[in-house]
Amino acid sequence: MMSEGHDHLTALLGRLKLTALRDQLDTLIDEAGRRDLTIREALTLFCEREVARRDQRRIEMAFGLARFPFVRDLTGFDFAAQPSLDKGQIREIATGRFIANGEAVLLLGPPGAGKTHLAVALGREAIVAGYSVLFTPATTLVAQLAKAHAEGRLEERLTHYAKPKLLIVDELGYLPFEPDAAHLFFQLVSRRYERGAMLVTSNRAVGEWGTVLGDAVVATAILDRLLHHSHVVTIRGDSYRLREKRRSGLLQRATSAPQPTPV
């Protein structure tokens, strides 16, 4: 009878899609007994475990959909190596309030300074907070928009990139835009303006974006929207990659300027 009742209960839990309770039923009942919980307290415990399992599944699925290039978090970022960074500003951005407000974050700095690390870490924080995120290199984004435009599917692609609550565009300026690509990027920025948050990393100062985008007028229009409600983070520190090479002896830091040859 005990087994029959247990099987019936697990079947009911399965039908209700309470899979965490179903899979951990014996363990949870034993735990409630050991802790001498009341029925209300036991039900609370069971619900907490079910919610925790669902949250974990949601987060894992969202991490996959975000298409991050690697796993990074804020605890692994070496703030001491980048003293120009305001740690308090990064913590404020990590709360996700900028996403709720549809604002933009610009991470600017030289190659290898940790911009992509921060972008991924902030994207992961956003997912844990319940926001949908999509990460894309700028070159991939522009190529996808250009391809869709040529095939008459631009509206469909713009909708795809407009859907996530946070769109992360990485390495803007690493390669110059192709002709007319700036106009396509402008359409996406306009679509998301004050509706969906963006996080853009770039190795170029905003004053150089006209050259990067190949169209100074469009660049100004894009920056007008991105900077209207924005958080600009500028990293002035050294490259992590070069620092590691110096530590290993592969590169030597110049300690003094070259002296002129005597004449």
Side-chain angles (χ1 to χ4, degrees), residues 228-246:
H228 184 205
H229 307 289
S230 68
H231 307 262
V232 180
V233 179
T234 302
I235 307 175
R236 297 184 180 86
D238 198 2
S239 164
Y240 280 116
R241 292 188 282 269
L242 292 181
R243 188 182 304 114
E244 290 304 313
K245 288 181 179 179
R246 290 192 184 103

Side-chain angles (χ1 to χ4, degrees), residues 62-78:
F63 282 163
L65 292 173
R67 306 186 70 114
F68 294 125
F70 42 62
V71 176
R72 295 289 187 276
D73 54 39
L74 288 178
T75 59
F77 188 84
D78 188 359

Side-chain angles (χ1 to χ4, degrees), residues 37 49 99 178:
L37 300 182
R49 295 296 171 82
I99 304 173
E178 295 292 328

Side-chain angles (χ1 to χ4, degrees), residues 38 61 75 114-115 200 224 249 263:
T38 64
M61 182 178 294
T75 59
K115 301 184 302 297
V200 180
D224 181 60
V263 295

